[in-house]
Amino acid sequence: MEANQSVLVIGGGIAGMQASLDLASRGMKVYLVEKTPSIGGRMSQLDKTFPTMDCSMCILAPKMIECFRHPNITLLTYSEVQEVKGSAGNFRVKILKKPRFVDLEKCTGCGECAQHCPVEVPNEFDMGLGVRKAIYVPFPQAVPLKYTIDDENCIKCMLCQKMCKAGAIDYDQQPETIDLNVGAIVVATGFELFDARKRTEYGYGKYPNVLTSMEFERLLSASGPTGGHLLRLSDGKIPRRIAFIQCVGSRSLKGGVSYCSSACCVYATKEGILIREHNPECEVYIFYNDLKVFGKGFQEFVNRAKDEWGVKYVRALPGEVMEDPKTGELTIWYEDTTENVTKNMKADIVILCPALVPRTTDKELAGILGLELDEFGFMKSKDPLFAPVDTNLPGVYICGYCQGPKDIPESVAQASGAAARAAEIIVAAGKEAH
Amino acid sequence: MAYEPRIVAFLCNWCSYMGADLAGTSRIQYPTNVRIIRVMCSGRVDPVFVIEAFENGADGVLVCGCHPGDCHYISGNLKAEKRIETTRKLVKLLGLGPERLRLEWVSTSEGGKFAEVVTDFTEQLRKMGQSPLKSENNPKVPKAPLNVQEVIKKAIAETNVRYCLECGKCSSSCPISRLNEAYSPRRTVEKFLIGLENKVLPTADLWTCLTCFTCTERCPSDVKFPYFVRACRRVASVDVKEELCAHRGIPMALARMMTNPKIKQDRMDWLPEGAEISEKGDLLYFVGCAPYLDVVFEDYNLGLIKTPQSVVKILNKVGIKPVILRNEKCCGHDLLWTGDLENFEKLAKINMADFKETGAKKIVAACPEGYRTFKEDYPKFLENFDFEVLHISELLSQLIDKGELKFDTKIARKVVYHDSCRLGRHMGVYEPPRKILASLPGTELVEMERNRQNALCCGVSSWLSCNKYSKGVQIDRLREAKATGADLLVTACNKCRIHWKCVTSEKLPVDPSEVTMEMRDLSVLVAEALKLM
């Protein structure tokens, strides 16, 4: 049997990209499958990263380009895994390449089409805060920088076809199935947000000035809907006080998930500092239950937020947020557990830090692969201590948030681990064949 | 052995007691069956004195005061007259015979009259026979001593209290904590967990909880605080400075009396003319305390009795002849939530036996408390409580779905619906009442800022801790309802309406126009839309 020297990586976020680059640099062929039109994942949506306060896109974009340029990596964006057969050393995989209705070879990414497209829909990349056209790139640094027609919202007016000088628009594109033969598989599907609407007491979805942290991340970002200006989208008001509420759905034995999402305390601190940076007159309060900041340099980061930036921490999980319908001002009810008094506080914006949960589509993918999931829907490790990136299936490895709660550095480290484990299979299979 | 009636007599200090004294000093003979209690004025005789006298086995209660116009406090005796009239209705409902409660005017000079009254009353009671409530086992007699530590240990284990994260979400959700700084569910739980229960048990804290389930709804650790409170109330002190139980505990006394198997209530006067009910059948309608509440709160003119009347008429209209128990007992809700488990269990057993005898399979309640108690609590306390329990709103919304209930009268009103705690957060019945209201022709349904899971409590539960804080909650809720611009406040819970009517009948700290609005029971509104009421 001929040994297969290639690896399939599912998910084009930071973990999937890192695993792909590690494998590719060892001389292995990598197929990187990404469901959306561009690789980049969650990290591409972030404004800054903790605790170094790097511009997220600035450190991510080079990695994205590296994936794109690497001779050993084949990017399969806007594609999904449809079928997996075989076993370690020899998996036969069917990939569904969804039609973009744009010829990737011809599209130059000039954007003429989107300029003329008459359809505006909420922009997923901006968490629905901004708009995009029916023909779009998710964000300016997208890789590949090629346009995609969103079939669901396209009204087939053919304007883009008329405008495209490269003649890249192809309405007749059909879904395509690609057959691959790979020796190992790395799964890195990432996370989604717990639906904050379920905690009705905080009024998310009802009050326009109650946002999720991911929405707020876009609001702060220079590439976001306000161009990085910190203001309330509901009325354009410059906020004077912003409050964060932690553990919305996390650490909940009821009405959420019981685990700690692990990143929220630190990213709220980061966003708090960013607010103070944007506008020193805007007060920041972070309502927390326990500050779980256990990573390298994280406690120092929180200390800096308190001492240098004046971010205020209140040990309490608020019971309710209510809105004054006239002013849009929000009232937060909480019991200050250090003073033992039930109080309320007014704020212009309330930011909820929802639990980070495994993607709902992981269930389907696990079914296709034959992977086991744990009680929360995370991909199950073969052994939580000694084989965290291994699964119940030899030759299939997991990394990033789909394996369990973690932050960026941990995801990257784990991705390298998963890549190394995948490489072992390929090397072993190669030796056997000789 | 011959039966000798026992009469408890409350005599006013100024006229009647002197009159009795005169009978004595004048050597006028009268039966020794009377036990005299001197009160400063007949107006001092609270209905609970009468009710408790009967509960303790009195065969008759006599109240004597100054003649009208002679009251030393100007109008105390006239107040007594009104009060006794109302109390007599309760005595009638209990099936004791209204004649067992007597009010007489006896002046200082009427020693002879006093003797005549006592003689006559004694003879009358002899003829009537012993009070059915005369029993060796008074239900109010101190309960068997409980092991406080055991009760607390069990409560902690069963209500997830150990999972408390100390986050304060409960306290900041609690309607009372927001007004009363001294009260906090979190700190209450904390004290129990670190063994400082003696700092809580003798205080009003355990009696302050509205058991509205707002904290439970939001608690990330699923701590069931109201159940914890309920379990601990069994061993909490009732001897605290504040008045814990509103209406001096009459509702609890009435409920306790119903545990007596000999009681035969006379409670069916409300049944509308032409209404059809059955002795046996598939569906039993549990009327609940409406007949009693209608008497106790008759001054409020809330038409509380219209609820069961409406329900029966609606059921008849769709061809259902509900089973109604003529001697229906209390469901025990208030006893359970005030920690009187012994009497609650007695009532539960009696009710289950009564229900089974009718052959009913379904139990329908219009009262959220009864509904909760049958659906949630009875199955936990009783084996074989295998009835399907429905709230009237669930039944009606099923009938609307099937097309069996159609409305032809236009109710052109802007209606706001209040989720009572029991129906809403306790049982999760949020949509059926809204569906009914939305299907009434011409009705516009609006929502309060806090609705469904987040609805604010009406301010009092189980007749406990009616104080300035509960009044504050009531006013807050009414303002919220009024702010919607609705002209009719609808709820399925008569107790909510009683509490709001109570607060708006008093001197208000806000402009009355901000809080007063027309209120209606859900079933009554449906009956009106069907032109049945």
Side-chain angles (χ1 to χ4, degrees), chain A residues 199-202 206-207 251-254 289 315-320 322 333-335 337 340-341, chain B residues 163 165-169 171-173 177-178 181 184 186-187 216-222 449-450 454:
Chain A
R199 298 306 330 151
T200 54
E201 63 269 26
Y202 293 145
K206 183 172 155 198
Y207 305 140
R251 298 184 71 199
S252 301
L253 297 178
K254 184 195 68 192
N289 191 39
R315 197 199 167 279
L317 289 185
E320 194 166 23
M322 289 172 76
W333 279 97
Y334 66 102
E335 185 190 25
T337 59
N340 285 343
V341 185
Chain B
Y163 293 114
L165 293 171
E166 301 267 320
C167 69
K169 221 174 163 184
S171 307
S172 51
S173 298
S177 294
R178 289 187 188 179
E181 262 192 16
S184 153
R186 179 183 68 86
R187 275 174 279 144
T216 317
E217 182 74 34
R218 295 174 187 171
C219 174
S221 289
D222 199 18
E449 177 72 22
R450 284 173 280 185
N454 299 318

Side-chain angles (χ1 to χ4, degrees), chain B residues 196-489:
Chain B
L196 292 179
E197 64 271 6
N198 286 333
K199 296 257 183 247
V200 183
L201 293 176
T203 71
D205 281 8
L206 284 175
W207 305 100
T208 300
C209 174
L210 297 171
T211 64
C212 73
F213 269 63
T214 312
C215 57
T216 317
E217 182 74 34
R218 295 174 187 171
C219 174
S221 289
D222 199 18
V223 174
K224 296 177 170 71
F225 184 69
Y227 285 131
F228 177 73
V229 164
R230 187 172 95 177
C232 290
R233 278 177 183 170
R234 289 189 79 192
V235 291
S237 169
V238 288
D239 193 21
V240 292
K241 277 183 203 143
E242 293 167 51
E243 188 166 19
L244 298 173
C245 202
H247 309 283
R248 274 76 60 206
I250 290 181
M252 281 63 161
L254 292 172
R256 282 194 304 269
M257 285 154 104
M258 290 187 205
T259 60
N260 191 317
K262 283 188 238 157
I263 197 165
K264 289 217 164 40
Q265 296 169 82
D266 180 6
R267 53 174 283 155
M268 291 301 287
D269 286 357
W270 59 270
L271 197 69
E273 217 174 300
E276 292 183 281
I277 61 169
S278 7
E279 301 285 325
K280 290 200 187 293
D282 185 52
L283 184 145
L284 182 143
Y285 166 50
F286 188 86
V287 177
C289 21
Y292 286 90
L293 296 182
D294 192 57
V295 169
V296 176
F297 299 102
E298 60 185 359
D299 286 353
Y300 287 165
N301 291 320
L302 283 165
L304 300 170
I305 205 63
K306 284 187 189 165
T307 302
Q309 289 172 340
S310 301
V311 172
V312 172
K313 283 184 177 177
I314 297 166
L315 292 177
N316 283 174
K317 164 112 180 166
V318 294
I320 300 172
K321 282 187 215 167
V323 177
I324 291 180
L325 296 170
R326 289 183 179 274
N327 188 21
E328 181 194 286
K329 311 296 192 308
C330 167
C331 68
H333 172 275
D334 295 343
L335 293 179
L336 177 62
W337 288 91
T338 48
D340 186 353
L341 217 60
E342 287 75 9
N343 285 309
F344 168 74
E345 284 189 44
K346 274 189 219 163
L347 283 176
K349 279 182 195 144
I350 296 170
N351 275 324
M352 181 165 81
D354 288 354
F355 294 167
K356 291 226 159 161
E357 213 179 289
T358 66
K361 299 273 174 294
K362 269 185 208 173
I363 296 172
V364 173
C367 153
E369 293 186 341
Y371 170 67
R372 191 225 123 91
T373 308
F374 296 136
K375 192 154 182 172
E376 195 66 27
D377 298 313
Y378 274 31
K380 290 204 174 73
F381 284 89
L382 300 167
E383 277 174 44
N384 311 322
F385 189 81
D386 45 10
F387 298 93
E388 184 192 349
V389 182
L390 287 170
H391 185 252
I392 187 74
S393 63
E394 293 176 309
L395 180 70
L396 295 182
S397 103
Q398 285 174 11
L399 292 170
I400 292 173
D401 278 345
K402 286 190 217 151
E404 288 173 29
L405 199 60
K406 286 196 180 86
F407 304 100
D408 32 30
T409 309
K410 229 178 170 183
I411 306 261
R413 308 205 59 167
K414 196 170 172 184
V415 169
V416 61
Y417 175 72
H418 163 80
D419 295 275
S420 72
C421 303
R422 260 65 186 162
L423 197 56
R425 274 182 296 271
H426 282 234
M427 302 304 293
V429 180
Y430 297 115
E431 299 314 320
R434 290 180 165 80
K435 191 174 160 189
I436 294 167
L437 291 171
S439 64
L440 299 182
T443 302
E444 184 195 348
L445 177 64
V446 292
E447 293 289 351
M448 281 186 254
E449 177 72 22
R450 284 173 280 185
N451 58 63
R452 296 181 173 86
Q453 291 91 335
N454 299 318
L456 183 65
C457 174
C458 74
V460 176
S461 148
S462 310
W463 311 110
L464 284 175
S465 300
C466 176
N467 52 34
K468 66 176 174 184
Y469 306 116
S470 40
K471 304 275 175 205
V473 177
Q474 286 155 7
I475 289 171
D476 203 9
R477 189 53 169 169
L478 286 172
R479 282 173 110 161
E480 207 174 315
K482 192 86 183 177
T484 61
D487 54 21
L488 188 65
L489 172 56

Side-chain angles (χ1 to χ4, degrees), chain A residues 11-190:
Chain A
I14 184 61
M17 290 195 296
Q18 185 63 45
S20 301
L21 289 169
D22 279 16
L23 287 162
S25 62
R26 292 184 68 158
M28 285 155 198
K29 173 81 192 145
V30 176
Y31 296 99
L32 175 53
V33 176
E34 166 59 39
K35 196 165 61 173
T36 68
S38 168
I39 56 168
R42 288 289 181 196
M43 197 178 156
S44 66
Q45 290 176 284
L46 305 182
D47 182 35
K48 298 273 168 18
T49 54
F50 62 77
T52 53
M53 294 306 250
D54 282 305
C55 153
S56 186
M57 188 55 90
C58 309
I59 56 171
L60 185 71
K63 269 195 194 290
M64 291 162 66
I65 298 293
E66 216 183 322
C67 283
F68 183 63
R69 295 258 170 90
H70 206 292
N72 285 347
I73 299 178
T74 305
L75 285 188
L76 296 166
T77 50
Y78 216 45
S79 301
E80 284 172 40
V81 175
Q82 219 174 15
E83 191 187 288
V84 176
K85 282 198 172 133
S87 56
N90 185 23
F91 288 106
R92 294 178 304 283
V93 183
K94 271 193 191 346
I95 306 283
L96 174 76
K97 206 173 168 206
K98 296 179 276 186
R100 280 181 186 247
F101 306 105
V102 173
D103 190 330
L104 283 186
E105 301 297 317
K106 291 182 187 160
C107 176
T108 62
C110 70
E112 196 73 21
C113 50
Q115 261 183 38
H116 290 89
C117 176
V119 183
E120 279 190 343
V121 291
N123 186 345
E124 300 89 351
F125 184 74
D126 282 339
M127 302 305 289
L129 294 185
V131 288
R132 63 160 170 85
K133 297 295 181 66
I135 183 163
Y136 69 108
V137 282
F139 50 99
Q141 301 84 348
V143 170
L145 191 60
K146 308 285 178 189
Y147 278 76
T148 304
I149 292 177
D150 155 14
D151 196 29
E152 237 175 82
N153 294 299
C154 174
I155 54 167
K156 312 274 179 320
C157 69
M158 312 281 180
L159 253 178
C160 52
Q161 198 172 36
K162 264 182 222 150
M163 299 318 296
C164 182
K165 290 178 188 114
I169 311 292
D170 176 9
Y171 287 108
D172 299 326
Q173 237 179 41
Q174 294 300 319
E176 212 180 300
T177 311
I178 299 168
D179 289 302
L180 300 176
N181 215 338
V182 295
I185 299 172
V186 174
V187 182
T189 48

